[in-house]
Amino acid sequence: MQSVTLKKSADSFIKRKHPWIFSGAIEKIEGNPSNGETVQIFTSDKKLIGNGSFSPASQIRVRVWSFDPEEIIDENFFRRKISLAYSQREKIIEISETNAYRIINAESDGLPGLIVDRYSDFLVCQFLSAGAEFNKETLIEILNDIFKPFGIFERSDVEVRTKEGLQPNQSILKGIAPDNLIEVRENGFKFLVDIKNGHKTGFYLDQRDNRKLISEFAKGKTVLNCFSYTGGFSVYALASGAEKIAQIESSSSAIDLSNKNFELNNLNPSLVENINGDVFEILRKFRDERRTFDMIILDPPKFAESVSQIQQASRGYKDINLLAMKLLNPGGILFTFSCSGHISTELFQKIISGAALDSGREVKIINQLTQSSDHPIALNFPEGLYLKGLVCSVN
Ligand code: SAH
């Protein structure tokens, strides 16, 4: 059997059951485990504590499958984990309202590196760790068996794969290849999702609960939706009676798709002003033109990809938030988000406070938001928290 033995210094974090074991924590490797193969994990005093997948290319050298030394990592193990994750989703997702949601959220569902999203009759997967890739065939068979989808599509076309010694990959894994656009339901609204070319696995499922909250605020408001992608927030705002919407997005294909989504939900296109451009520039232009709005949504892409980018990212967040606060009418509402895992909840709030001070406005947090409930955060894996949002009133 292949195994790793940990250094004495690793004892404390092993007690916390964090699923990542870094290369520096490993004293000794026995056998010759291949990329992603399962290894036994021993403490420095030779006690077996569980099993994990070995990843020789990555700084995260082992990802723990189980802290139960008795648990065998086989088809049954994966079936149990997937079934458990699915049963938890069934409790929180009302399928008649929503058929696009995350079934498996990697480490937080005890399956490091595996993402599985459901889009109606299709599953879209990402295999982001050597261990997930190593067990791919088994995982696909189980998913196919449980969900009986029309097709299982892979969107592992992401750079993090290279850290695990894997190539980015996109292909049909099982069943029929989907058309580019799939129609899904979300909270009763209809959306077209491009699972082949769209961002992530096609749609920002993590914002579903926050999009719903928009409905409570949008009635009668003039809304500016920044970084609007395929119009998710805009559909909810318009459907709940927003007076007008301007949306800024740099991708013209995303704007085209948002127009289709308005049509699909019978929303009046004459209420929408599409601006295909850069949010940083357009907000400055609006400031110079003295344009104002009752509600502004800022949902930018990840500004901090690594720890080294935290400072620069903070400046970016402050910049757009300061501009947005200046554009809001008194009593206006700001929905502001950061999806950078490296920006903590505390830091994000600090950045927004800095923007509030510089804007000269009186700003209060009225809601604190995070990722949707189908993107849970295991408490032994705090890195699972990445999406933070604040709803602020601006006077
Ligand atoms: N709120 C959206 C998701 C936003 S993702 C939803 O609920 O679906 C971020 C979006 O910002 C992406 O569509 C990306 O194309 C766009 N984007 C990135 N940088 C931009 C910039 N500088 N100006 C305008 N749009 C940008």
Side-chain angles (χ1 to χ4, degrees):
M1 184 66 191
Q2 330 260 18
S3 71
V4 296
T5 303
L6 305 182
K7 291 180 181 160
K8 179 100 188 81
S9 55
D11 284 358
S12 64
F13 74 75
I14 281 299
K15 273 201 196 101
R16 291 199 295 271
K17 300 205 170 154
H18 194 286
W20 290 351
I21 298 175
F22 285 89
S23 58
I26 295 175
E27 180 71 49
K28 192 169 73 178
I29 299 162
E30 268 169 300
N32 186 19
S34 58
N35 201 19
E37 201 173 344
T38 302
V39 289
Q40 293 185 314
I41 305 161
F42 289 94
T43 56
S44 56
D45 52 3
K46 307 272 180 301
K47 196 172 145 234
L48 178 64
I49 51 158
N51 287 281
S53 60
F54 188 67
S55 183
S58 173
Q59 282 307 310
I60 306 173
R61 194 59 45 91
V62 176
R63 296 193 196 218
V64 182
W65 289 124
S66 170
F67 281 100
D68 176 357
E70 309 276 305
E71 191 154 33
I72 296 162
I73 311 308
D74 58 3
E75 204 217 308
N76 275 331
F77 167 81
F78 291 117
R79 191 176 284 273
R80 274 199 309 279
K81 290 277 170 189
I82 293 173
S83 300
L84 178 65
Y86 182 38
S87 69
Q88 289 170 349
R89 302 315 188 270
E90 284 184 305
K91 287 179 199 140
I92 52 173
I93 302 286
E94 179 51 65
I95 195 74
S96 62
E97 293 285 300
T98 297
N99 67 2
Y101 57 91
R102 179 152 295 184
I103 299 170
I104 308 286
N105 194 31
E107 272 78 350
S108 290
D109 281 307
L111 292 168
L114 179 67
I115 299 285
V116 181
D117 289 341
R118 177 180 182 181
Y119 290 100
S120 182
D121 296 309
F122 288 89
L123 300 184
V124 184
C125 305
Q126 292 182 320
F127 298 85
L128 305 177
S129 66
E133 179 73 21
F134 186 84
N135 293 285
K136 195 175 195 171
E137 304 230 319
T138 309
L139 292 164
I140 294 165
E141 284 311 317
I142 299 167
L143 289 168
N144 194 48
D145 190 36
I146 296 179
F147 298 98
K148 305 195 171 33
F150 290 171
I152 302 179
F153 192 65
E154 174 170 15
R155 280 296 305 272
S156 303
D157 47 333
V158 281
E159 270 310 301
V160 288
R161 290 253 303 179
T162 56
K163 292 190 180 170
E164 298 279 317
L166 308 167
Q167 290 304 309
N169 192 29
Q170 198 205 98
S171 62
I172 179 79
L173 299 173
K174 192 92 191 168
I176 54 166
D179 293 335
N180 276 2
L181 297 184
I182 295 182
E183 188 183 311
V184 300
R185 285 188 301 274
E186 185 189 84
N187 291 318
F189 295 113
K190 294 176 187 163
F191 287 99
L192 290 169
V193 176
D194 185 347
I195 66 172
K196 287 184 182 162
N197 310 301
H199 298 173
K200 307 223 274 187
T201 60
F203 203 53
Y204 289 87
L205 299 170
D206 51 1
Q207 286 284 24
R208 182 180 50 254
D209 296 349
N210 301 328
R211 282 192 282 264
K212 194 169 186 184
L213 190 66
I214 287 280
S215 312
E216 293 177 23
F217 288 90
K219 192 160 190 254
K221 302 253 166 72
T222 55
V223 180
L224 174 62
N225 182 6
C226 302
F227 309 96
S228 53
Y229 191 47
T230 57
F233 282 110
S234 303
V235 164
Y236 283 69
L238 277 176
S240 53
E243 190 184 297
K244 269 190 306 196
I245 290 229
Q247 45 174 24
I248 312 172
E249 167 56 54
S250 58
S251 151
S252 53
S253 58
I255 292 185
D256 291 346
L257 202 45
S258 74
N259 288 331
K260 291 196 176 116
N261 285 330
F262 297 142
E263 200 182 312
L264 202 58
N265 291 283
N266 300 316
L267 298 166
N268 183 352
S270 70
L271 301 180
V272 182
E273 177 190 356
N274 277 314
I275 303 149
N276 185 192
D278 175 23
V279 167
F280 290 84
E281 281 172 23
I282 307 289
L283 289 180
R284 288 189 158 73
K285 183 166 157 281
F286 284 177
R287 178 196 61 194
D288 297 343
E289 292 169 358
R290 299 186 185 282
R291 264 190 86 165
T292 59
F293 298 88
D294 301 326
M295 182 161 138
I296 299 181
I297 301 154
L298 294 174
D299 183 22
K302 201 196 272 182
F303 284 167
E305 296 279 353
S306 62
V307 176
S308 65
Q309 291 173 358
I310 290 178
Q311 269 205 351
Q312 200 193 343
S314 303
R315 282 196 291 275
Y317 287 118
K318 182 168 174 194
D319 189 28
I320 52 173
N321 280 280
L322 172 57
L323 287 161
M325 286 171 188
K326 288 186 173 166
L327 297 183
L328 279 165
N329 291 321
I333 297 288
L334 175 66
F335 269 75
T336 182
F337 295 96
S338 163
C339 62
S340 305
H342 294 293
I343 304 277
S344 68
T345 306
E346 294 71 28
L347 177 56
F348 187 54
Q349 185 168 324
K350 215 166 128 191
I351 295 166
I352 306 306
S353 311
L357 267 181
D358 289 6
S359 72
R361 307 292 295 269
E362 186 190 302
V363 184
K364 287 180 190 150
I365 297 171
I366 53 176
N367 268 300
Q368 289 167 286
L369 310 175
T370 184
Q371 59 225 47
S372 298
S373 51
D374 53 337
H375 293 57
I377 305 146
L379 283 171
N380 60 334
F381 186 65
E383 291 84 351
L385 168 63
Y386 65 96
L387 183 62
K388 300 148 291 275
L390 295 171
V391 187
C392 299
S393 74
V394 179
N395 276 293

